[in-house]
């Protein structure tokens, strides 16, 4: 069955620094979604990528889907305390028409 | 447009009891999915409903059940609660909810269930 692996599991970054989170799929990605979650709250949609090579940006967050469509990266430029949280990637499952599969999440801590 | 709403936000129950959680999707969204989130297991898919029909189900015991009403609102029920059922239960809605449509899933704030 299809799996999503996120790396790193956790990240501590000095405020102002750049960082990258990766999401790798065991199968070709059909639709890839990035979400952010504050502890104990719901997931906030960031962006969706579908086409190989596609790149989208939202404020200081940029996500890209590689050409082979098996990996996505999320890049944050000049990190701020508001970027702290858990980042999750999700993808339309190739094993089921009506289900998203999820990575385990990356916990991001921003040091002031 | 109002977002996905879930009630109640917090719930404390004891082992053996049952609980019903409610979810109202974004207006016009017909697909509703439920997830269980725990620190150890991450986000686990429970089931997905579309037009009052369960289209997909995750690997959870039969104690976990759900339904969807004609207005797309959904409920999930957990019977005979166990300590391990303590978790954040998240509901999410999408317009159509299929791989073909690749429409975005939006989440509610969740219901925090504590089983004592």
């Amino acid at each position: 069955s299809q799996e999503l692996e996120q790396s790193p599991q956790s990240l501590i970054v000095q405020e102002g620094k750049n960082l990258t989170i990766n999401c790798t799929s065991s199968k070709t990605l059909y639709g890839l979604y990035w979400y952010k979650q504050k502890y104990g709250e719901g997931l906030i949609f960031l962006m969706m990528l579908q086409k190989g090579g596609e790149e989208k940006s939202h404020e200081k967050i940029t996500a890209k889907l590689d050409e082979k469509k098996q990996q996505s990266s999320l890049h944050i430029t000049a990190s701020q305390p508001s970027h702290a949280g858990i980042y999750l990637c999700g993808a339309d499952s190739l094993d089921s028409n009506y289900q998203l599969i999820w990575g385990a999440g990356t916990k991001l801590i921003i040091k002031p | 447009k109002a977002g996905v709403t879930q009630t109640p936000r917090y719930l404390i129950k004891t082992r053996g009891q049952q609980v019903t959680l409610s979810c109202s999707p974004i207006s016009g969204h017909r697909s509703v999915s439920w997830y269980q989130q725990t620190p150890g297991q991450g986000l686990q898919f429970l089931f997905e409903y579309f037009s009052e029909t369960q289209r997909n189900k995750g690997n959870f015991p039969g104690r976990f059940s759900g339904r969807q009403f004609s207005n797309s609102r959904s409920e999930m029920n957990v019977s005979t609660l166990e300590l391990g059922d303590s978790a954040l239960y998240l509901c999410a809605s999408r317009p159509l909810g299929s791989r073909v449509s690749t429409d975005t899933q939006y989440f509610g704030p969740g219901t925090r269930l504590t089983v004592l």
Side-chain angles (χ1 to χ4, degrees):
Chain A
S1 59
Q2 187 178 10
E3 293 181 349
L4 289 182
E5 185 175 330
Q6 275 187 250
S7 62
Q9 284 187 314
S10 63
L11 200 50
I12 302 174
V13 172
Q14 193 75 40
E15 182 177 351
K17 296 294 186 183
N18 304 337
L19 63 107
T20 300
I21 298 169
N22 293 306
C23 176
T24 303
S25 173
S26 56
K27 297 183 182 179
T28 298
L29 289 164
Y30 211 96
L32 188 284
Y33 307 82
W34 283 101
Y35 290 82
K36 179 187 172 186
Q37 184 180 32
K38 291 284 192 184
Y39 178 74
E41 299 178 9
L43 279 66
I44 305 298
F45 170 71
L46 294 175
M47 55 196 90
M48 189 270 273
L49 304 165
Q50 195 175 352
K51 300 174 184 174
E54 186 174 14
E55 185 172 311
K56 287 186 177 178
S57 293
H58 173 70
E59 297 177 345
K60 292 186 178 180
I61 301 175
T62 300
K64 185 173 181 180
L65 185 61
D66 80 355
E67 291 289 343
K68 295 181 181 178
K69 293 181 68 175
Q70 285 201 247
Q71 184 179 62
S72 177
S73 58
L74 185 86
H75 184 77
I76 298 178
T77 305
S79 58
Q80 302 169 354
S82 61
H83 289 131
I86 300 170
Y87 290 81
L88 291 101
C89 63
D92 286 296
S93 171
L94 289 181
D95 302 317
S96 164
N97 266 336
Y98 313 115
Q99 181 180 343
L100 294 183
I101 59 170
W102 297 89
T106 295
K107 185 176 180 180
L108 174 62
I109 296 171
I110 306 294
K111 279 187 352 181
Chain B
K1 244 183 195 180
V4 179
T5 58
Q6 291 187 246
T7 56
R9 291 294 312 278
Y10 303 92
L11 208 48
I12 299 175
K13 292 284 187 179
T14 56
R15 279 182 299 174
Q17 287 187 310
Q18 76 164 23
V19 66
T20 298
L21 311 182
S22 181
C23 171
S24 291
I26 291 172
S27 177
H29 287 193
R30 294 166 66 188
S31 166
V32 174
S33 295
W34 287 91
Y35 296 90
Q36 181 194 67
Q37 188 179 38
T38 58
Q41 297 295 319
L43 203 59
Q44 301 289 314
F45 172 73
L46 280 157
F47 26 66
E48 187 259 1
Y49 286 88
F50 180 84
S51 292
E52 301 178 69
T53 301
Q54 187 182 89
R55 289 195 300 193
N56 208 356
K57 189 177 189 306
N59 295 323
F60 278 82
R63 301 185 297 107
F64 292 82
S65 63
R67 59 178 176 168
Q68 186 181 35
F69 302 95
S70 58
N71 61 358
S72 293
R73 191 177 69 86
S74 178
E75 288 181 348
M76 69 161 280
N77 183 277
V78 188
S79 62
T80 321
L81 284 166
E82 300 177 359
L83 294 178
D85 296 333
S86 293
L88 181 66
Y89 289 88
L90 293 163
C91 163
S93 75
R94 303 170 85 178
L96 298 174
S98 76
R99 170 156 46 91
V100 176
S101 62
T102 56
D103 46 19
T104 299
Q105 189 168 82
Y106 294 94
F107 284 80
T111 294
R112 170 72 63 184
L113 172 64
T114 302
V115 182
L116 303 176

